Each structure stands twice: as C-alpha cells, then as structure tokens.
Amino acid sequence: ELFVQYLASYSYKHGRGKEKNALTYTDLSHTAEECETFQFLADILPKKILASKYLKRLEKEKRDGEVGEGDEEDEEEEHEDEAVGGSVGS
C-alpha cells in the first residue's frame, strides 16, 4: 500500500496532475519511464499510442523483416502526441 501511495504521489507531483487536479495514466507511465526508481514498471505501464500508429509500425516491421528498425522516428511522433494532449489507444 505504501509503495502504491508513493508511486501515485510522485506521479501526481511530477506529472500534469497539479494542472488538472487529477492523476492520469499518462502521468504514471511517464514516471515509470523517466524515474530510475520506477523503471521496472515500464513494461507494465507503457505509453499509450494510437491504434493506427501501432498498425503502421507492425506493417513496417513486416516489410523490414526486423523488429526495432525505425524506432527513432516513432519516438519522435509519440513525443509530438504528448505535446498535443496525449493519445487514446483502442
């Protein structure tokens, strides 16, 4: 319980929680990715991406034959989505 409380309060303080007066999934996933203490949660709390971007990534990986190629381009697009206001996965 104390761990969950610490994760939630840290995410709230270092995320957009103060601005919105709410704790969001994006705040939690950002904390898991950026904070060294919580990096073991990065696989459990991944960043959300649009389904269309995920499908494009799958098609590209099929064409290239290798997983992981073109990740830099996808990361830039994800950061742009966050700046716009996040994304919704389906």
Side-chain angles (χ1 to χ4, degrees):
E1 290 176 25
L2 292 175
F3 173 73
V4 173
Q5 181 180 2
Y6 180 66
L7 172 63
S9 64
Y10 186 92
S11 298
Y12 181 81
K13 289 177 186 175
H14 294 90
R16 296 182 182 168
K18 290 181 181 179
E19 297 170 11
K20 297 180 180 179
N21 199 22
L23 179 64
T24 64
Y25 180 86
T26 304
D27 294 334
L28 293 170
S29 66
H30 181 63
T31 298
E33 187 174 298
E34 299 297 324
C35 181
E36 191 173 321
T37 305
F38 299 111
Q39 283 189 347
F40 71 97
L41 295 173
D43 292 336
I44 298 170
L45 296 168
K47 286 187 175 182
K48 289 185 177 181
I49 61 171
L50 292 172
S52 59
K53 286 188 178 184
Y54 179 72
L55 293 174
K56 286 179 186 177
R57 185 184 298 173
L58 284 178
E59 288 177 16
K60 186 174 184 178
E61 288 174 358
K62 273 186 179 180
R63 281 184 273 136
D64 294 345
E66 290 184 38
V67 175
E69 227 175 89
D71 284 342
E72 294 174 352
E73 182 180 314
D74 292 339
E75 287 177 11
E76 290 174 8
E77 291 176 2
E78 289 174 8
H79 291 299
E80 290 172 5
D81 286 344
E82 288 177 10
V84 173
S87 58
V88 178
S90 15

